[in-house]
Amino acid sequence: MSSGKVQAYYRHEHGDNPVVLQGPADVDTLIDDLLASDPSENMAALHSLERPLMPAGVPDHELLVGADGDLQVGVLGFMDDGNFVSFNPAKDRGETSYAIMGSATEFPSASEIPIALVREAVKEFMSSGGKRPTCVEWQEPEYW
């Protein structure tokens, strides 16, 4: 395990070769890449290298990070012992969709947050060893 490192999957070529984020500048590069991406690749799946793997050899958690360059907003989804989605009742344009490698995920209403808060949350995820960020309000979605 490596201190503060996070694996990111968000392009087809990352399926077998994930990007490794090692500090705040790498997080900013990731978010900038997502903001500039086509809607079919505007989300990333992140796994902390500080958390243990489950017996099957897969991570016990996941942070989904989506970014919409046109609106300068994003979404977060966090899974470990439960499923959580970012919550922002002030910004509700209904259900939204973000995609990793062409595979879309629907996010519930009021889940988009300002892009600056997305950046802060991913940096907190990295520095906390893969814990759910506390700088964001969360909701438990009805489906997922």
Side-chain angles (χ1 to χ4, degrees):
M1 302 290 170
S2 301
S3 178
K5 291 185 181 178
V6 171
Q7 288 182 325
Y9 302 85
Y10 58 102
R11 301 281 187 264
H12 287 288
E13 62 268 21
H14 301 152
D16 293 325
N17 188 26
V19 173
V20 177
L21 309 178
Q22 300 186 58
D26 291 341
V27 171
D28 288 332
T29 298
L30 167 70
I31 302 299
D32 291 344
D33 284 351
L34 295 175
L35 287 168
S37 293
D38 179 272
S40 69
E41 292 187 321
N42 65 353
M43 187 167 65
L46 307 181
H47 303 115
S48 172
L49 295 175
E50 290 193 38
R51 288 184 59 158
L53 296 176
M54 295 191 313
V58 296
D60 69 343
H61 68 290
E62 183 168 77
L63 178 67
L64 295 176
V65 181
D68 183 319
D70 291 336
L71 299 176
Q72 293 295 299
V73 297
V75 293
L76 299 170
F78 186 81
M79 284 112 350
D80 65 357
D81 289 336
N83 296 330
F84 303 92
V85 177
S86 49
F87 182 60
N88 180 9
K91 179 79 173 174
D92 187 358
R93 62 181 183 118
E95 290 185 2
T96 56
S97 179
Y98 289 78
I100 299 174
M101 299 180 228
S103 180
T105 299
E106 296 292 324
F107 286 81
S109 295
S111 58
E112 290 180 307
I113 59 175
I115 204 65
L117 190 53
V118 171
R119 289 180 193 276
E120 182 181 346
V122 175
K123 290 173 185 176
E124 182 182 336
F125 173 78
M126 177 181 279
S127 67
S128 72
K131 294 180 182 169
R132 181 165 42 114
T134 59
C135 65
V136 174
E137 284 189 64
W138 297 95
Q139 60 181 316
E140 292 187 58
E142 291 181 28
Y143 59 90
W144 257 38

